[in-house]
Amino acid sequence: MNKDQVKGALQKAGGHVEEAAGALVGDAALKSAGQEDQIKGDAREAWGNLQEAGDGLIDRARVAKADAEIKAARAKAWDREHEVKVELPADEKTPEAKSPEKPGEDQSAEQSQGEKKNVA
C-alpha cells in the first residue's frame, strides 16, 4: 500500500465516525461532512490504487526489457558460434575483381577473339 491508499482509508474511516456522530446528535451538517469525507477518502484511495497499478506496469515493463536484452545477447552469441563462412574458389571471384582497367579494352579483346574464330 502506498501513502495515498492509507490516507484515503483513514479519511474514509474518519468520515464514517463523523457521519455516525452527526446522526447520533442529530446534526445534519456533521453528518453530511462525514459523508463528504468518505467520498474524498474513496477518491484518494482510488488514486493510490491507480498509482500502485501504474508502478506495477512500470516494473513489468522493466522486467520485460531486461528479458529482451538477455535474449538478444544470447541470440547474438548463438549466431557468432554458428556462423557459416563461405569462401569462393579463386576463379569465381566477384565481378568487381575482374573489372578491366579501361572500359574499351575488354570489348576490343572480345572482338579480336571473334575475328580469329571466323578466320579459322
Side-chain angles (χ1 to χ4, degrees), residues 37-95:
D37 281 345
Q38 289 177 39
I39 292 169
K40 287 179 181 178
D42 279 335
R44 190 165 197 171
E45 191 173 7
W47 174 247
N49 291 340
L50 186 61
Q51 287 176 329
E52 192 169 277
D55 290 343
L57 287 175
I58 290 170
D59 290 342
R60 287 177 56 197
R62 286 183 182 144
V63 168
K65 179 184 175 196
D67 286 345
E69 289 171 349
I70 290 170
K71 288 178 183 178
R74 286 181 184 163
K76 284 182 183 179
W78 190 90
D79 287 345
R80 281 192 302 269
E81 290 175 11
H82 297 89
E83 185 176 343
V84 176
K85 294 182 181 179
V86 178
E87 293 185 24
L88 294 174
D91 60 335
E92 293 183 20
K93 293 292 180 181
T94 59

Side-chain angles (χ1 to χ4, degrees), residues 89-118:
D91 60 335
E92 293 183 20
K93 293 292 180 181
T94 59
E96 295 83 29
K98 291 185 177 181
S99 65
E101 292 179 17
K102 295 180 185 174
E105 285 184 9
D106 194 36
Q107 292 174 355
S108 63
E110 288 177 11
Q111 289 174 355
S112 63
Q113 288 177 359
E115 291 173 4
K116 289 179 185 176
K117 289 181 184 176
N118 289 338

